[in-house]
Amino acid sequence: MLDCKPIDTPMMMNHGLQTIEGEKLVDQTQYERLVGKLIYLSHTRPDLAYAVGVVSRFMHKPQSQHLEAVYRILRYLKGTPRRGVMFEKHGHLDLHAFTDADWGGYRDSRKSTSGYFTLAGGNLVTWRSKRQKVVVMSSAEAEFRGIAKGITEVLWLIKILSELGYAPKRSYKLYYDNMATIRVSENPVQHDRTKHVEIDRHFIKDSLEAKVISLPFVSIN
């Protein structure tokens, strides 16, 4: 791949990758070796986290379309050799988190994927993209589970900062891109569409009322 043409993104939007019956299989050992190295690299390249998470789902039975997705990641790396995690001094230790979730994005099982990343003092410190354990019945359910995971990460970072002598003086911000979900999180009235995630909803509501976090809206555009 040394002479490959660089590309701007590690994965296509709405990629639709899945296991297709009868599709041509590729060398499993080669596929596992490539993806294994990408998993290792993603520890310092958060921009690869989602794409690598997707291609790692097919380690047991890789097909040609999956290998092409891996090659796309390599082409992206060819054009971005200097990217990584940069730590700079910004004069504060404010904590900000961003979270999002899809709904039924994994075609083989229709499970959703949620992810988050956090900034401490303006620097990226943690990030994660993970498939949810169960199939959810609505987009609201997927989104609540994603927010709940983001809040637990914020609480963990608050504890670490407090132990280091930097206890929070105000609520931290967890940004989200769905205004309807934010309103339901702040509303104590139970909604039919959130009855499957009532524990997550109350966990989010309690965190808001305790002023541990706030949920500002952020546009995806």
Side-chain angles (χ1 to χ4, degrees), residues 20 44 47 58 68 71 82 86 102 110 113 131 146 169 188 192:
I20 300 177
T44 55
D47 49 334
F58 308 102
E68 286 299 320
Y71 286 158
R82 298 182 182 276
M86 176 72 71
D102 70 359
R110 280 304 179 180
T113 302
R131 186 175 48 189
K169 298 179 180 179
D192 287 342

Side-chain angles (χ1 to χ4, degrees), residues 9-138:
T9 58
M11 179 160 281
M12 294 177 59
M13 290 183 63
N14 303 318
H15 53 81
L17 286 176
Q18 58 183 311
T19 300
I20 300 177
E21 192 67 30
E23 183 75 11
K24 180 182 177 182
L25 298 178
V26 297
D27 187 330
Q28 184 174 354
T29 301
Q30 179 195 19
Y31 188 88
E32 290 176 346
R33 185 184 300 118
L34 282 171
V35 175
K37 292 179 178 179
L38 290 174
I39 291 173
Y40 180 79
L41 182 60
S42 65
H43 290 309
T44 55
R45 290 289 299 264
D47 49 334
L48 301 180
Y50 175 73
V52 174
V54 171
V55 296
S56 64
R57 298 171 184 171
F58 308 102
M59 299 272 254
H60 63 290
K61 193 177 180 181
Q63 298 178 335
S64 56
Q65 55 171 327
H66 309 142
L67 185 58
E68 286 299 320
V70 173
Y71 286 158
R72 183 185 177 95
I73 298 175
L74 297 179
R75 292 173 61 194
Y76 170 73
L77 290 172
K78 173 74 178 295
T80 58
R82 298 182 182 276
R83 290 192 183 176
V85 180
M86 176 72 71
F87 293 96
E88 298 177 326
K89 184 177 181 180
H90 294 102
H92 66 83
L93 276 178
D94 292 347
L95 184 64
H96 300 276
F98 294 79
T99 183
D100 200 4
D102 70 359
W103 178 35
Y106 185 31
R107 297 293 184 89
D108 287 341
S109 64
R110 280 304 179 180
K111 291 181 179 178
S112 304
T113 302
S114 53
Y116 60 77
F117 67 88
T118 59
L119 304 169
N123 296 302
L124 183 66
V125 289
T126 64
W127 58 89
R128 191 178 194 187
S129 174
K130 186 174 178 64
R131 186 175 48 189
Q132 295 180 2
K133 293 183 178 180
V134 297
V135 178
V136 297
M137 303 300 292
S138 67

Side-chain angles (χ1 to χ4, degrees), residues 37 79 88 97 172 182 190 203:
K37 292 179 178 179
E88 298 177 326
Y172 289 132
I182 293 174
Q190 181 64 30
F203 173 59

Side-chain angles (χ1 to χ4, degrees), residues 183-184 187 189-195 201:
R183 287 170 179 164
V184 173
N187 187 349
V189 178
Q190 181 64 30
H191 293 257
D192 287 342
R193 62 177 173 170
T194 62
K195 62 184 178 182
R201 193 180 67 85

